[in-house]
Amino acid sequence: METSQKHTALTGKKLTLGYVHQKVNKEILSDLDFALFSGELTCLLGPNGVGKSTLIKAILGQIQPWKGSIQLDGQSISRFSLEELAKRIAVVLTDPVFPGNMTVGQLVALGRTPHTGWSGKLNQADREVVEKALSDTKITYLRDERLSEISDGQRQKAMIARALAQDGQVMILDEPTAHLDLVNRFEIMSLLRDIAHSQQKAILVVT
């Protein structure tokens, strides 16, 4: 009953996904249906090699479905430019590479890049979004700390804050707790659940 009242943010219908390797079609996923709802945290569980990363690439418009469709807010993903998708879908990858001397505040500000362009110049509204992202993830106190000098758990919260600053309706996190201990895993998942509920975002955790 509760789910039926929620906005459907992202859907996949009858999806078949794959690659062409040495002129041979390699099917990865077949006849897949899914839906992500605003205000909900959804987990996609599965061993390596079953197509989780392939699905993420399709959602981000990096590969085209062989069959079926993916729709964002009722429109086909193919109708959005990559720049527009970056404003609507935020992604946290497993092993992002950022300079260790970058501060947490600078990292979170990168989330505004789809909105500011590569100049990276933040206006007052952008700065307010960055500050809110720091506050929502409870890491305002880390703003001036360098990424190389904080813990793995803190760094992951900073990555989530960067995704929040992107201000998309959908967030996708690939193995967000892979390198964390049990306590930090619990904190990160609780944080993501709270964000989904409080900000009505559709969050997909792949693990």
Side-chain angles (χ1 to χ4, degrees):
M1 187 69 176
E2 182 181 2
T3 297
S4 64
Q5 298 173 347
K6 294 188 177 182
H7 172 68
T8 305
L10 187 74
T11 60
K13 297 180 180 179
K14 303 298 181 184
L15 278 181
T16 297
L17 302 173
Y19 297 99
V20 177
H21 180 64
Q22 295 181 349
K23 299 182 179 181
V24 176
N25 290 346
K26 183 178 181 182
E27 185 177 286
I28 306 296
L29 292 169
S30 177
D31 202 27
L32 174 68
D33 293 319
F34 72 88
L36 301 182
F37 298 94
S38 61
E40 286 192 357
L41 171 66
T42 302
C43 288
L44 174 61
L45 308 175
N48 292 334
V50 298
K52 301 188 301 295
S53 296
T54 303
L55 178 60
I56 291 176
K57 289 178 180 178
I59 291 173
L60 297 180
Q62 296 174 358
I63 62 172
Q64 296 299 314
W66 287 358
K67 295 179 183 178
S69 65
I70 300 175
Q71 293 193 333
L72 175 65
D73 204 18
Q75 298 186 64
S76 172
I77 284 285
S78 63
R79 297 186 61 180
F80 296 93
S81 67
L82 293 179
E83 290 79 9
E84 188 63 28
L85 283 178
K87 294 179 181 179
R88 294 171 175 262
I89 303 177
V91 182
V92 177
L93 299 176
T94 309
D95 294 307
V97 179
F98 293 105
N101 62 353
M102 177 182 286
T103 67
V104 169
Q106 289 170 336
L107 171 64
V108 177
L110 286 178
R112 299 305 298 163
T113 300
H115 304 273
T116 63
W118 292 108
S119 68
K121 292 183 179 180
L122 304 182
N123 59 29
Q124 182 59 31
D126 292 319
R127 286 190 285 270
E128 289 175 1
V129 171
V130 170
E131 286 303 312
K132 186 176 188 304
L134 288 166
S135 175
D136 288 345
T137 50
K138 300 178 176 61
I139 58 169
T140 301
Y141 70 100
L142 292 174
R143 182 193 292 106
D144 298 322
E145 297 292 330
R146 300 188 185 280
L147 295 178
S148 60
E149 298 172 350
I150 60 178
S151 71
D152 288 341
Q154 291 170 329
R155 197 174 300 113
Q156 192 64 0
K157 288 179 182 178
M159 290 297 302
I160 293 170
R162 181 196 61 76
L164 275 178
Q166 205 166 323
D167 202 24
Q169 65 195 98
V170 177
M171 288 176 59
I172 300 174
L173 300 98
D174 188 12
E175 300 280 6
T177 62
H179 307 301
L180 305 181
D181 60 27
L182 186 60
V183 172
N184 276 301
R185 288 183 181 189
F186 179 80
E187 282 189 7
I188 292 296
M189 294 304 292
S190 294
L191 173 64
L192 292 172
R193 182 188 60 190
D194 291 344
I195 289 170
H197 291 171
S198 65
Q199 301 192 29
Q200 287 299 293
K201 292 187 182 296
I203 300 182
L204 174 65
V205 173
V206 179
T207 186

